[in-house]
Each structure stands twice: as C-alpha cells, then as structure tokens.
Amino acid sequence: MNVIGSSTRTSAACLFSKILTSPRARIKISWDIVCSKHSGLGSRQYEYDLVVIGGGSGGLACAKESALLGAKVAVLDFVTPTPLGTYWGIGGTCVNVGCIPKKLMHQASLLGEAVREARSFGWQIPDKVWCDWSRLREAVQDHVKSVNWVTRVQLKEKKVTYINARGYFKEPHVIGCVSKDGKEKTITAEKVLIAVGGRPNYPQIPGAVDLGITSDDIFSLKYPPEKTLVVGGGYVGLECAGFLSGLGFDVTVMLRSIALRGFDQQMATLIREDMERRGIKFIDECIPTNMQKVGKGKLEVSFKSVKEKQEVSKAVFKTVLFAIGRKPATEQLQLQNAGVDYNPETGKISVTDEATNSNGVYAVGDVLEGKPELTPVAIQAGKLLARRLFSGSNKRMDYSNVATTVFTPIEYGCVGLSEEVAKKEFSDNLEVYHAFYKPTEFTVPQKDTSSCYLKVLCLMKEPRTIVGMHFIGPQAGEVIQGFAAAMKAGITMEQLQDTIGIHPTTAEEFTRIFITKRSGLDPSVQSCCS
C-alpha cells in the first residue's frame, strides 16, 4: 500500500485515521515513514513533487520517469521565436532543430550521392538529378510535428501536467509561469529541475540578427538557401555545410580559428580535407564585420582577418548561417531568486550529481558547466536523477567515455580521449595504433578514400587499456556505438585484437589494426583479406 503517492493526496487524512485504529498501526505508520523518506514523496505543502522547466530531452526524460515512480509532475515549456520568426513544439532542440532534422537532411544528402553513384552499379539514372528543397523541408517538418504530438500524448498518458508557458523562479520552490499572451500564474514544487537547454549565438555585428539565420531556422527555411556562407567551424557548422553542399548548394565555411575545436585535430583535418574535395570552400582565420542587403535576395558580407585586424574582403551570398556556439537559456530564469550559483560569463550552472547549491533545485543537459552537450547524456542524467529522487536509487551519472558522431559528408565517430589530451595525460605511457582503409562500398565506383582512417589510443603498460577510439568513414555512428560499450567495460588492446571482425565491414578495421605511430611503419590500406 502506497499512502504517499499522488493518487491518495485528497484522502490522506481519512486514510491516516483508519491506520491509527488498526491493530498494526505502529507497523504501518513506521512503514509509511520509511516509504516517504525512501521515495521523496513525503511533503504535501507544494502543488507538485517536481516541476521541470524546459521541455527538451533531459527534462522530459526526468519528468516521465518521475511520474512513473509516483511523483506529481509538471513540465513548463515555451519557445521564444527566432528573429526570423521560427518556433516549434515540445521536444527541445534535438527533436525540433537539432539531431533529428539534421540527420534527415544528412540522409537526403547521402541519398543524392548514392543516386549518382548508382549508375556505376548498372542503375539507369537520368543525367540531371536534383533535390526539391520545399518537399524535403515539408517531409522533415512533418516528422518533427509527429514527434511533437507523440510527446504530448506520452505526457498525458503518464499524467504529467504540460504547461505551455515560460517558467522562472520567484523563490526556490515558487515558479512563475508566463503564457504566450502574457498572463501569469504561480505554482509551487518541492523539487525543481532546470532543463532549458541553449540557443545559438549571433555575432555582434550590423545586420547579423536581422539578416542572418542559425540552425534554429535552417530546417524549416521557406526558400532554398542557395549560395550559403556558414560562419563557424564546430560540428553544427560543418554538419550544416556538409548536407547543404550535398543537396547541391554552393557552400563556404568561415573559420575564426580551427575546425572541430575540442575534437581530435588529426581527425578534424581529415574531415576538412574531405569537405574541400567535395567542393566546400573555406575562409580561414576571419570573422564577419558587417552584413547588408545588396539587391533582391542577396547579402553582402564584409569580413576581416583575426590576426591582421584589417578589412580583407567582401562577398555576396543568398544565406548566411551563424554556427558560432550556443549559450544556455538561463537568462530569464532569475536564478538569483532561487539562490542558484551560476557562471555569469557563460550562464552555465555547476552541479554535483545534477544538484545545484540550492536545496531542491537540480539541473541537467546543456546548461551544465563542463559536461557533454549531447541529447543522450541529458536523457540518461534525467532518468537517473528521477530514480534517486523518487525511488531511493544511488546510481549516479557517469559522464566519462561518452561516444559521439559528427555527421559530416564522411562521418566521424569517436569515444574517449583525443590524441592531444591523451598525450598530456599519459605522456610516454601512450601507444597510438592507426590505419587507413578502403571501404568495400567505395570500390564501385572508385571513390576517394584519403580520409578513411581510424586510430586507437591505449596505454603501453599492461593491461594496455584503451583510452580513445576514432573512426572516419561511412556509418561512423553505428560503428562507434558498439565500441563505446566495450570501452565502458574497460576493453584492452589485446581484447580488441582478439575480436573477430565481421567481413566485409568498415567496423572490422578496428579488429585488424596493428601498426603503431611509434613504429614509423606505413599505415596505408592493407589487403582486405590480410
């Protein structure tokens, strides 16, 4: 019997009276006290056991898991439209303007490449093949809206209250809710989870906000982007540049410094080289200084060198997409009212096991200081937090060895440390195995395999534990996922080399790797059956 769940809230007094008259009163009262302490559902001075501010992946995961464990939960979600006017439904960045639409457009790009290559396999394909942007956009948005709908249904089925309003702190346990029409109400919660994610940055230059777009706009853009400048060389910028180029558009990437900062730089160089071979242009060590309209549907961008500081040049584009980083959407939360400490420069929140310094206030996802900004990370952290809060679990989130993939035209998957970080951490105790390879699917037609490369970082001392795995090639995300599980289990180099590969696959190249950088031997493509 659970007398502390939300379903018995209204009859608590009556039930308590009956327990007192029971011959087992002491046992039952003691058991209820234990359950209350164990589940975190003991207090009834608040309207909700948990209020989640933010309807993205991490917040929703925590909300649904908490509701399943008997908590009374509300989710606040409100999307401020972009300067272009783009807005979306519940589900957060990943579902609406991130991972999901990105992967679909990446797939559309790969399909175009596959159609053209099909001629080499005997398929009779018309000479001119092109992608209809409006049909692609419609297909992508139809899927996104279906996920929005399913999310709403799931919340309703799990009895999670959905409130379409912007939430902010009035006090640590008191949340203000401002609706689209400006009306406000107040709700209270014993526990509050901050899961508001982040939004893209704009440069502080004339015309950027009025004339530019970000990844929040590209997936629902009403017109074909045509000649596009992508400002920024992180994974978002390169992924957008990659699928736009694959869809047939003229694309230029402007880099302030290096591509894929934070990733292994040898792999980043190979990715860039592959993109250049595909016709994507790069402008190095420059930043935009001004944007203005010049004629119908054209934007003139002025830019300068970050080193020499003088004006370098001007160029005209149809679309300018800014991918210069993201900032957490914590500005409007009024965190000071809840006593939550945060970094005033970044807007990010420091946590210990997702708990902030303010009692009863938690945070997950992209708002966290120093944690991976990845959807699966937020989901896992949200679920584990819910179980600790409402079922007595002690399991903590492990942020180490989280795999990820950059969905550039040729994909890059990795897990563990980059070579740069591993060298700093392990110095002379590091061994690097590496190899170039030729995917079977790249042989008909004969495709460039210059960037098909992988490497494994392991310790030299026994048991030679693997600390990093990097792979560039087709289906990199699918390849690296299984090896991520192996790394979680502490796989060693001997165990990897003892693993029998599946032939012919690209993933088997990890099991065939034997040349070290230290040996100086040529890591060029080996025979497929050697």
Side-chain angles (χ1 to χ4, degrees):
M1 179 176 61
N2 180 7
V3 301
I4 51 147
S6 59
S7 62
T8 61
R9 178 187 298 269
T10 57
S11 59
C14 178
L15 186 55
F16 187 72
S17 177
K18 289 181 180 180
I19 290 174
L20 288 177
T21 62
S22 165
R24 298 181 181 177
R26 272 186 206 170
I27 295 175
K28 290 191 176 185
I29 292 171
S30 299
W31 173 244
D32 291 342
I33 291 171
V34 170
C35 287
S36 175
K37 182 177 180 181
H38 182 66
S39 68
L41 300 173
S43 174
R44 285 299 170 225
Q45 67 185 88
Y46 304 105
E47 295 171 70
Y48 294 96
D49 300 307
L50 173 69
V51 165
V52 178
I53 306 178
S57 302
L60 291 174
C62 187
K64 290 186 285 188
E65 188 75 10
S66 298
L68 288 173
L69 295 171
K72 185 178 181 182
V73 183
V75 171
L76 288 167
D77 182 58
F78 183 82
V79 178
T80 302
T82 70
L84 190 66
T86 308
Y87 63 94
W88 50 89
I90 193 168
T93 296
C94 176
V95 165
N96 295 282
V97 290
C99 318
I100 301 303
K102 177 270 302 289
K103 184 68 181 294
L104 292 174
M105 288 200 168
H106 173 62
Q107 175 66 8
S109 171
L110 294 181
L111 284 173
E113 185 176 346
V115 167
R116 291 185 288 272
E117 292 171 357
R119 297 187 185 97
S120 299
F121 289 90
W123 287 93
Q124 301 304 301
I125 306 295
D127 290 337
K128 188 176 181 181
V129 180
W130 73 98
C131 180
D132 185 326
W133 174 264
S134 62
R135 291 190 65 180
L136 171 60
R137 183 197 69 228
E138 183 180 357
V140 169
Q141 290 306 308
D142 283 348
H143 176 69
V144 168
K145 289 172 184 175
S146 73
V147 179
N148 295 151
W149 172 255
V150 169
T151 302
R152 292 285 298 272
V153 170
Q154 288 178 339
L155 291 179
K156 187 174 182 180
E157 288 176 345
K158 293 175 173 59
K159 296 181 172 55
V160 175
T161 301
Y162 169 66
I163 303 173
N164 185 204
R166 177 178 62 83
Y168 71 95
F169 286 98
K170 289 189 168 184
E171 297 176 23
H173 301 278
V174 181
I175 308 300
C177 312
V178 183
S179 63
K180 184 178 180 180
D181 59 8
K183 294 180 180 179
E184 182 171 347
K185 70 174 184 178
T186 298
I187 59 176
T188 62
E190 183 178 9
K191 298 175 177 65
V192 181
L193 175 65
I194 300 168
V196 292
R199 299 293 291 270
N201 292 323
Y202 287 84
Q204 295 182 353
I205 63 170
V209 174
D210 296 331
L211 303 176
I213 67 169
T214 69
S215 56
D216 281 356
D217 303 298
I218 187 65
F219 305 110
S220 58
L221 200 64
K222 291 183 169 58
Y223 54 86
E226 299 178 12
K227 187 178 181 181
T228 301
L229 173 66
V230 176
V231 181
Y235 73 92
V236 173
L238 295 193
E239 287 176 340
C240 289
F243 71 68
L244 289 175
S245 174
L247 293 173
F249 301 116
D250 183 330
V251 180
T252 300
V253 177
M254 183 178 291
L255 299 177
R256 181 189 183 98
S257 55
I258 58 176
L260 294 179
R261 180 180 296 278
F263 288 88
D264 187 290
Q265 282 303 293
Q266 181 187 10
M267 311 306 277
T269 298
L270 290 170
I271 289 293
R272 171 175 171 160
E273 290 172 352
D274 178 78
M275 295 179 73
E276 288 178 316
R277 285 191 293 271
R278 294 169 185 267
I280 298 172
K281 299 174 284 293
F282 284 80
I283 301 174
D284 289 307
E285 297 183 328
C286 286
I287 56 173
T289 57
N290 185 70
M291 286 175 58
Q292 61 181 355
K293 285 185 178 181
V294 286
K296 187 177 181 180
K298 295 185 182 298
L299 302 174
E300 183 183 72
V301 180
S302 302
F303 54 96
K304 67 179 182 180
S305 167
V306 294
K307 287 186 175 180
E308 299 173 6
K309 303 297 182 183
Q310 82 273 17
E311 198 87 356
V312 173
S313 187
K314 296 180 180 179
V316 176
F317 301 91
K318 168 74 171 183
T319 302
V320 178
L321 189 156
F322 294 109
I324 57 173
R326 299 171 65 84
K327 60 181 178 182
T330 52
E331 289 182 0
Q332 296 179 324
L333 292 180
Q334 297 188 33
L335 295 175
Q336 67 278 5
N337 292 342
V340 175
D341 291 339
Y342 65 98
N343 186 329
E345 294 183 4
T346 65
K348 294 206 168 191
I349 302 169
S350 294
V351 296
T352 301
D353 296 329
E354 292 72 58
T356 73
N357 65 295
S358 180
N359 186 39
V361 181
Y362 305 84
V364 296
D366 293 0
V367 298
L368 300 188
E369 190 85 73
K371 299 294 190 292
E373 297 182 12
L374 298 168
T375 294
V377 171
I379 291 173
Q380 179 78 338
K383 287 182 178 179
L384 294 179
L385 174 62
R387 292 167 191 168
R388 293 199 303 275
L389 294 179
F390 300 114
S391 74
S393 171
N394 291 317
K395 189 171 184 180
R396 266 62 182 169
M397 177 65 188
D398 181 3
Y399 289 96
S400 64
N401 288 335
V402 175
T404 191
T405 294
V406 180
F407 290 97
T408 37
I410 189 167
E411 298 173 6
Y412 165 37
C414 60
V415 59
L417 303 179
S418 67
E419 187 172 347
E420 292 84 359
V421 172
K423 282 180 176 178
K424 288 180 180 179
E425 187 168 338
F426 299 111
S427 187
D428 295 336
N429 189 28
L430 182 70
E431 189 79 276
V432 180
Y433 288 80
H434 67 148
F436 287 92
Y437 68 99
K438 189 171 188 177
T440 303
E441 51 267 51
F442 279 26
T443 58
V444 179
Q446 288 290 330
K447 295 178 63 174
D448 193 308
T449 61
S450 303
S451 293
C452 292
Y453 176 80
L454 69 157
K455 63 181 173 182
V456 179
L457 318 178
C458 73
L459 303 184
M460 294 181 68
K461 294 179 181 178
E462 294 294 340
R464 296 204 299 157
T465 303
I466 293 174
V467 296
M469 301 183 75
H470 300 263
F471 177 93
I472 293 178
Q475 301 295 324
E478 309 298 337
V479 169
I480 208 69
Q481 181 67 80
F483 290 108
M487 280 196 61
K488 279 288 188 183
I491 187 172
T492 65
M493 197 64 209
E494 182 180 11
Q495 290 170 332
L496 177 64
Q497 292 174 326
D498 283 346
T499 300
I500 305 300
I502 301 171
H503 188 69
T505 65
T506 53
E508 75 170 320
E509 298 298 334
F510 270 125
T511 69
R512 302 173 67 228
I513 201 166
F514 69 95
I515 295 174
T516 66
K517 284 189 174 182
R518 187 165 53 92
S519 72
L521 296 175
D522 184 2
S524 298
V525 177
Q526 306 294 315
S527 167
C528 73
C529 296
S530 62

